[in-house]
Structures are given as structure tokens and as C-alpha cells.
Amino acid sequence: MSRLTIPQLNRRCFGIGAVIIAGLLGFSAYQQFVLGLDPCPLCVFQRLAFAVIGLVCLVAVAHAPRAPFGMVYGLLVAVSAGVGAGIAGRHVWLQHLPADQVPACGPGLDYMLEVFPLTEAIRMVLGGSGECAEVQWQFLGLGIPAWALVWFVLLGLGALGWTWFLWRNRTGGA
């Protein structure tokens, strides 16, 4: 049996990440279109973070990079996962606020993006609203944003671990 080269390993590892992301985004579409769970603005931002991770993974699969570029892709996945984890963490925090401290419901994301400058719309979304504090679905006691946080942390740690592996083996390109 022949050893796999770094580009082949990169293709496989980032391919696994792309499949995981496709599954997560597919499940979120199922929740929205089949179960009727409309995403709040923070959920939409989390989906965007997952999509960025998936896009980076797909580019890495197509590129099949040697170690230095594999590390760049790994760091991009880790940073995107960190941003997603921050958004999901904020969402989990909002869902655990006492009822009297939950912010009032704000305008929808479409309205915010049409009326306000992008930076202001992002600030408003990250501020949260009452609709983001609702727990609409749970599995094993965790809501959607908590599961998103778990996946962001796993993907980020996996990407950092892979980047570390490539750093340790950076002499090999073939």
C-alpha cells in the first residue's frame, strides 16, 4: 500500500469538512422548509459562517494544496469557525437570558439590510432580538444555536489540528 501525499491528505480532510458542512446546511434547510422553523437573523449569520467554511473546504479540495497552502486553508477554516462560534455563543447567551431581560423583537433581516447601512444592520443583528431568544427545537437538551456552537468548535479544533499536522510535516509536498 502506498503512502498518501500531503495534497491527497489535504483533499481528503477538506473533503470530509465539506461533506459535514453540506450535511449541516442540508439539515438547516430541512428544518426551515419541512419543519417550518424560520431562522432568526443570528441563525442566518451562523449559516453564512458555515457556508464560508464549506466554500473554503471546497476550494481546498479542488486545489489539493501542498503543506503551506493547506495551512492557509486550515487557518481560514479555523478563523471562520471562530467567528461562527462567537455568533452562536451570543445566540446561546440570548436564549438563556431571564424573560424580563430578553430584548424586544426587532425588524426582520431583509428590512434591516434594505434600510440600514451594512455595518449598522450587522450591529443590530449581533445585538439580538426577542425572536432570537426563542427555543424552537431541541435535541438531547440543546437548541439549534448550541448545536451550531458545538459544530463550530469541532470544525475549528479539527482545522487547527490539521494545520498543526501540516506545520510539523511542512517539508513534504509530494
Side-chain angles (χ1 to χ4, degrees):
M1 182 183 278
S2 65
R3 274 183 52 188
L4 292 174
T5 64
I6 293 294
Q8 290 169 327
L9 287 171
N10 271 324
R11 182 170 273 160
R12 286 187 181 188
C13 288
F14 286 108
I16 290 169
V19 168
I20 290 170
I21 294 297
L24 291 170
L25 291 175
F27 186 66
S28 69
Y30 168 79
Q31 287 179 315
Q32 180 177 352
F33 299 113
V34 176
L35 300 181
L37 302 176
D38 286 330
C40 71
L42 284 174
C43 288
V44 172
F45 277 29
Q46 290 166 65
R47 286 183 187 184
L48 287 173
F50 279 128
V52 168
I53 294 169
L55 183 63
V56 170
C57 287
L58 287 175
V59 170
V61 167
H63 182 199
R66 296 185 186 275
F69 284 109
M71 289 185 284
V72 171
Y73 288 125
L75 290 174
L76 287 172
V77 168
V79 168
S80 300
V83 169
I87 295 168
R90 171 77 173 159
H91 199 167
V92 169
W93 177 77
L94 279 170
Q95 287 189 338
H96 287 87
L97 283 175
D100 63 327
Q101 294 180 10
V102 172
C105 286
L109 182 59
D110 292 338
Y111 176 81
M112 285 189 270
L113 291 174
E114 286 178 20
V115 174
F116 298 102
L118 182 61
T119 54
E120 180 67 15
I122 291 171
R123 188 191 64 72
M124 290 171 68
V125 169
L126 294 178
S129 69
E131 68 179 319
C132 293
E134 292 178 34
V135 178
Q136 297 181 343
W137 178 91
Q138 284 190 329
F139 178 70
L140 299 177
L142 297 177
I144 296 169
W147 279 110
L149 179 59
V150 166
W151 279 106
F152 282 125
V153 169
L154 290 174
L155 290 163
L157 289 175
L160 288 175
W162 183 247
T163 302
W164 179 78
F165 170 81
L166 292 174
W167 176 258
R168 298 267 322 231
N169 297 287
R170 65 189 172 276
T171 58

